[in-house]
Amino acid sequence: MKSYNPEMHTAEHVLNRTMVNMFGCDRSFSNHLEKKKSKCDYHFDRALTTEEEQAIEAKVNEILAQHVDVKGYDISREEAQANFKLDRLPEEAGEELRVVTVGDYDECLCIGEHVANTKEVGEFKLGSTSFENGVLRIRFKLKRP
């Protein structure tokens, strides 16, 4: 398992699903998740507007405030191929893979640690965004309850 801060990692799942839903982009291709602040990089075609940044922050917080359960279950690699992109999955991941769900909002393959319920995450604060060479970077932190 990857060793990420569980609260930040769970917030990253919600942010990723929000970006996919709002903009039709893929999940982040690179991230750096730390307890104090984190960042996610997306293949994107432009900078975000202030209104879009505010909408992302509001949607992530709306989902976190629903206090939904975060759960995991195992599936075969064959099942995963039918439902998920496996391009970032290392070959040594094996034949049984772990799927993590954040309520009904997000479902993806993941090997990291998460909270049991989004009520443990706190408030998502979008710090800043930048766009350069086809990469949108979103920096964020959490305000703990």
Side-chain angles (χ1 to χ4, degrees):
M1 283 189 127
K2 284 187 179 181
S3 181
Y4 289 135
N5 173 270
E7 295 86 357
M8 200 61 91
H9 193 177
T10 303
E12 180 238 353
H13 276 257
V14 177
L15 172 62
N16 275 326
R17 175 54 53 198
T18 299
M19 292 297 292
V20 169
N21 290 355
M22 287 179 72
F23 301 103
C25 63
D26 287 333
R27 299 175 81 83
S28 62
F29 68 89
S30 175
N31 58 53
H32 186 76
L33 304 174
E34 296 292 334
K35 190 172 186 170
K36 291 188 177 187
K37 60 183 177 177
S38 297
K39 63 184 175 183
C40 290
D41 293 335
Y42 299 88
H43 293 296
F44 216 70
D45 60 353
R46 61 181 174 79
L48 294 175
T49 66
T50 301
E51 292 79 16
E52 288 170 329
E53 291 175 351
Q54 291 169 347
I56 291 166
E57 183 176 272
K59 184 62 178 181
V60 170
N61 281 318
E62 174 190 325
I63 299 304
L64 295 175
Q66 291 175 9
H67 298 178
V68 297
D69 289 334
V70 181
K71 297 181 179 181
Y73 64 91
D74 294 330
I75 61 172
S76 69
R77 183 180 283 270
E78 188 176 321
E79 284 178 274
Q81 285 177 320
N83 298 301
F84 301 98
K85 289 184 178 184
L86 303 185
D87 56 334
R88 292 183 54 201
L89 189 67
E91 280 302 315
E92 65 270 10
E95 287 303 312
E96 192 157 289
L97 305 174
R98 183 167 162 252
V99 176
V100 171
T101 62
V102 180
D104 291 333
Y105 192 66
D106 187 52
E107 180 178 52
C108 72
L109 296 172
C110 187
I111 61 172
E113 297 178 35
H114 304 83
V115 298
N117 188 288
T118 58
K119 68 183 172 190
E120 300 170 54
V121 174
E123 183 181 359
F124 177 88
K125 301 298 284 180
L126 194 149
S128 66
T129 64
S130 59
F131 176 76
E132 187 175 330
N133 298 323
V135 175
L136 173 68
R137 176 166 287 171
I138 297 179
R139 296 168 197 85
F140 60 96
K141 58 185 175 178
L142 300 175
K143 184 177 174 186
R144 301 289 195 303

